[in-house]
Amino acid sequence: MNKEIPPCGDLRRPACALLFDMDNTLFDLVGAQVAACESVVRHLGHEDGDDLFLYFLTGSHGFESTENIRQYMEERRIPTNGMYEQACRIYASEKLRYITPYPGVKKTLAAIRARGFATAVVTDAGHADATLRLGKCDLDPFFDCVVTCDKVGVKKPAPDPFLAALDMVCARPDEVLFIGDSPRRDIEPCKKLGIRTVYARYGDRFSKTRDDIGADFVIDRMDELLSIIEGIPVSRSASGP
């Protein structure tokens, strides 16, 4: 286990819940998107899957919008009539097919539930996508609740999703840990709220530096979380599995 800040008495105070980001923390969404882009461009008779993925990464339509596919096709003069809808179906099905839990995720979540911690997902995905992805990975039984962007009306790093999760698990900020891969959308807002943070460095592909991001703990595999929670007492307000 790697720790950017050595644990102290304050970090070892009791907790009753663990909150998790979903995409690129529980599974590799970026890898699934890249694979789906490859399938789409092959269907369209091209071989530049990385170029299509760049539209999702840097385009104006958003990281999940299939309008990125339309823009890719239009700029290459590929007819969109009929072809666009089929390309979107291929993209959606292939992305879901390639989503699998990171190594150690199920083992870790099972151990967390066995300790008696409450658990929740806090994600920028919509409810439909979150349900499909957690179901595909067989992870939904491990969580008490899921907070999605369409439930709260805003995305991280706004505080609303985190506050909604705290309300659902009936916990104060100082009674939970948040595990996520994004310094800007996960670690920074949680620290402002007084939530202890675990940086899932293994899932972060986009930060310029992945070293000094101010998290309480840093993990390079999900199962490293187990040695962190071993030193954190479970408060009596925690719910069982």
Side-chain angles (χ1 to χ4, degrees):
M1 178 184 66
N2 298 296
K3 308 181 189 70
E4 296 299 332
I5 301 176
C8 61
D10 188 51
L11 294 178
R12 297 300 185 179
R13 65 185 178 271
C16 66
L18 275 70
L19 313 180
F20 291 82
D21 172 53
M22 184 180 72
D23 299 329
N24 303 310
T25 295
L26 300 177
F27 48 77
D28 184 3
L29 178 66
V30 170
Q33 284 183 294
V34 170
C37 286
E38 291 287 350
S39 297
V40 169
V41 299
R42 284 198 302 269
H43 174 73
L44 297 175
H46 287 247
E47 298 179 355
D48 53 348
D50 288 343
D51 287 350
L52 173 56
F53 178 66
L54 284 176
Y55 284 81
F56 287 91
L57 192 59
T58 62
S60 59
H61 304 295
F63 191 61
E64 298 254 31
S65 175
T66 53
E67 284 299 309
N68 293 301
I69 298 175
R70 185 192 300 276
Q71 184 178 352
Y72 167 90
M73 295 175 67
E74 289 176 345
E75 292 183 0
R76 285 158 181 75
R77 300 181 183 275
I78 302 172
T80 57
N81 187 19
M83 291 281 284
Y84 168 69
E85 288 76 11
Q86 191 170 7
C88 289
R89 288 193 293 270
I90 292 171
Y91 175 77
S93 63
E94 289 296 284
K95 180 173 66 173
L96 187 63
R97 184 168 76 90
Y98 278 98
I99 287 176
T100 56
Y102 284 118
V105 166
K106 289 186 178 181
K107 167 191 169 185
T108 302
L109 292 175
I112 289 168
R113 298 294 284 172
R115 283 284 310 278
F117 289 106
T119 52
V121 166
V122 184
T123 176
D124 281 344
H127 177 73
D129 282 333
T131 300
L132 284 172
R133 293 170 192 174
L134 291 172
K136 167 65 167 55
C137 295
D138 295 323
L139 297 180
D140 37 348
F142 293 108
F143 296 102
D144 297 301
C145 56
V146 179
V147 178
T148 58
C149 65
D150 46 352
K151 282 187 177 181
V152 294
V154 292
K155 294 185 177 182
K156 302 179 288 184
D160 308 60
F162 306 102
L163 295 174
L166 291 175
D167 184 60
M168 289 181 180
V169 298
C170 302
R172 301 188 310 268
D174 64 349
E175 294 179 309
V176 306
L177 279 77
F178 189 92
I179 301 92
D181 69 286
S182 173
R184 184 181 70 86
R185 296 193 312 276
D186 297 325
I187 306 305
E188 290 179 9
C190 282
K191 288 183 72 67
K192 290 178 181 178
L193 292 170
I195 295 172
R196 285 171 284 180
T197 55
V198 180
Y199 174 42
R201 180 161 55 187
Y202 58 84
D204 183 4
R205 301 194 186 194
F206 304 121
S207 297
K208 291 181 180 179
T209 175
R210 303 192 304 156
D211 296 321
D212 185 14
I213 50 87
D216 296 308
F217 300 95
V218 177
I219 57 175
D220 290 308
R221 301 188 318 271
M222 175 58 81
D223 58 8
E224 290 179 348
L225 183 60
L226 295 176
S227 60
I228 295 174
I229 66 171
E230 281 176 2
I232 298 177
V234 183
S235 68
R236 284 179 293 178
S237 59
S239 63

